Amino acid sequence: IRKVLGAGTGTIVVLIGKQFTRWIFLAYILALPVTIYVTSNWLNNYAYSLATRNIKLDTAMTYIDKAIAKEPENAAYLDTKGWILYQLKNYEEAYKYIYKAYQKVMDDREVLEHYGDVLWQLGKRDEARAIWEKALEQAPGDEVLKQKMESGL
């Protein structure tokens, strides 16, 4: 219509471009928080999967550090970082992160198990068994936890 009324091609492109740019900017603003959340969760989940298999721990550490930079108080991220450090046999550092996660979610079975494991490695056997007992309350049929309760790691 504008072309018929005498607008030039450049003017039409600018008008359409302005409108298009507004929509792109709005979409970016709306998508950014979701993207950050999803990306952080993905980084944590991938790092944790590497840590549980005890492979590529340097890569896992890089990813979890990025997730923690975005959400430094997220208990799942702190637990993952602690578990990576545990797998690297850096039990003192692992304790710091896993304990911080434990303080935030005292009833999470996985955090409880990790906390018990790190306590055991630090020589705090009675505390470890007490924590594993709490974890076992969350998952009564967990044979690995039962084994840890009976004979430790």
Side-chain angles (χ1 to χ4, degrees), residues 68-126:
I68 288 175
K70 292 176 183 173
E71 292 184 60
E73 297 301 314
N74 185 307
Y77 301 174
L78 295 169
D79 179 64
T80 296
K81 179 150 183 162
W83 195 242
I84 295 167
L85 290 163
Y86 178 91
Q87 296 289 48
L88 291 168
K89 300 186 184 341
N90 187 346
Y91 303 123
E92 292 290 336
E93 273 303 297
Y95 174 82
K96 292 175 187 175
Y97 285 93
I98 294 174
Y99 180 69
K100 197 170 181 183
Y102 168 72
Q103 287 180 312
K104 293 179 180 307
V105 287
M106 295 181 149
D107 60 345
D108 183 276
R109 191 209 61 79
E110 204 149 3
V111 172
L112 288 166
E113 184 177 359
H114 292 167
Y115 186 44
D117 291 356
V118 79
L119 287 169
W120 184 272
Q121 293 297 346
L122 293 173
K124 300 175 181 180
R125 309 296 161 120
D126 293 335

Side-chain angles (χ1 to χ4, degrees), residues 8-104:
T9 304
T11 306
I12 293 172
V13 169
V14 168
L15 288 171
I16 292 172
K18 280 183 182 178
Q19 196 65 17
F20 183 71
T21 303
R22 286 185 192 132
W23 282 110
I24 294 296
F25 182 72
L26 179 63
Y28 175 78
I29 295 300
L30 294 174
L32 188 61
V34 174
T35 303
I36 289 171
Y37 176 76
V38 169
T39 302
S40 296
N41 274 338
W42 183 88
L43 289 169
N44 175 62
N45 292 340
Y46 185 61
Y48 187 71
S49 77
L50 293 175
T52 56
R53 293 178 286 152
N54 202 12
I55 60 171
K56 298 183 182 179
L57 295 177
D58 55 333
T59 301
M61 188 64 78
T62 300
Y63 287 167
I64 198 59
D65 283 342
K66 288 179 181 181
I68 288 175
K70 292 176 183 173
E71 292 184 60
E73 297 301 314
N74 185 307
Y77 301 174
L78 295 169
D79 179 64
T80 296
K81 179 150 183 162
W83 195 242
I84 295 167
L85 290 163
Y86 178 91
Q87 296 289 48
L88 291 168
K89 300 186 184 341
N90 187 346
Y91 303 123
E92 292 290 336
E93 273 303 297
Y95 174 82
K96 292 175 187 175
Y97 285 93
I98 294 174
Y99 180 69
K100 197 170 181 183
Y102 168 72
Q103 287 180 312
K104 293 179 180 307

